[in-house]
Amino acid sequence: MKRTTFLLLATAWSAAVLAADVEVKEAWVRATVSGQQATGAFMTLVSKSGATVVGIASPVAGLAEVHEMRLEGGVMKMRPLPRLELEPGKPRVLGPGGYHVMLMDLKHPLAKGETIPLTLKLQARGGKAETLELKAEVRDLTASAGGHQHH
């Protein structure tokens, strides 16, 4: 019984990462080719009581930022966001074509199957600063928001 409980808890932990009340699900990074200097990282964030993403970092990139892609006048535009609000209980999807993380000035190409460390910098509802360390799997160049191409 104890072993089954341990295995269930270990499986649940690998599926989602928690910090305070922010949960991260299905974090992944798109693979790169030689010479490519930037790529995207994607995940779903849920905060029980609400929080704000105020920064992100990774040792594989010289610069990491939360970005928003938006269709304006028939043209897709991308811009960095200094803050990304997480509404209480509402999943915030960071995926291709919308909100996402840009990893720029990459230190080396990212290959499918690697695991990339990411640090989310969060501000809880009361203003308390927190960090959340997580690992994101590098998926194939053709991976999309569904994210199950790697199975």
Side-chain angles (χ1 to χ4, degrees):
M1 179 70 171
K2 288 182 182 179
R3 181 185 165 147
T4 302
T5 302
F6 174 76
L7 290 174
L8 287 172
L9 288 173
T11 301
W13 180 250
S14 68
V17 178
L18 299 168
D21 80 340
V22 176
E23 180 181 14
V24 179
K25 299 178 184 177
E26 299 224 9
W28 63 281
V29 176
R30 187 169 281 136
T32 63
V33 296
S34 182
Q36 186 175 335
Q37 291 296 301
T39 193
F42 312 99
M43 64 199 75
T44 298
L45 303 171
V46 182
S47 174
K48 290 179 186 169
S49 61
T52 305
V53 178
V54 294
I56 189 155
S58 177
V60 303
L63 179 64
E65 296 176 332
V66 176
H67 280 203
E68 175 186 34
M69 285 188 75
R70 173 184 297 197
L71 190 61
E72 292 180 12
V75 176
M76 199 63 135
K77 295 187 177 185
M78 183 170 59
R79 67 182 179 105
L81 297 175
R83 305 169 59 81
L84 181 64
E85 299 294 328
L86 305 177
E87 294 181 42
K90 287 187 161 185
R92 172 71 78 180
V93 176
L94 279 66
Y99 295 110
H100 60 281
V101 172
M102 285 299 301
L103 299 174
M104 298 170 282
D105 190 21
L106 295 174
K107 299 185 187 309
H108 61 82
L110 306 181
K112 178 182 173 182
E114 277 186 81
T115 301
I116 304 303
L118 298 169
T119 302
L120 289 178
K121 298 170 186 173
L122 304 165
Q123 186 174 19
R125 272 285 183 226
K128 180 181 173 192
E130 298 183 12
T131 59
L132 174 59
E133 304 289 331
L134 62 127
K135 304 266 187 217
E137 175 190 13
V138 177
R139 296 186 182 169
D140 192 73
L141 284 164
T142 60
S144 66
H148 296 290
Q149 294 80 347
H150 67 289
H151 291 269

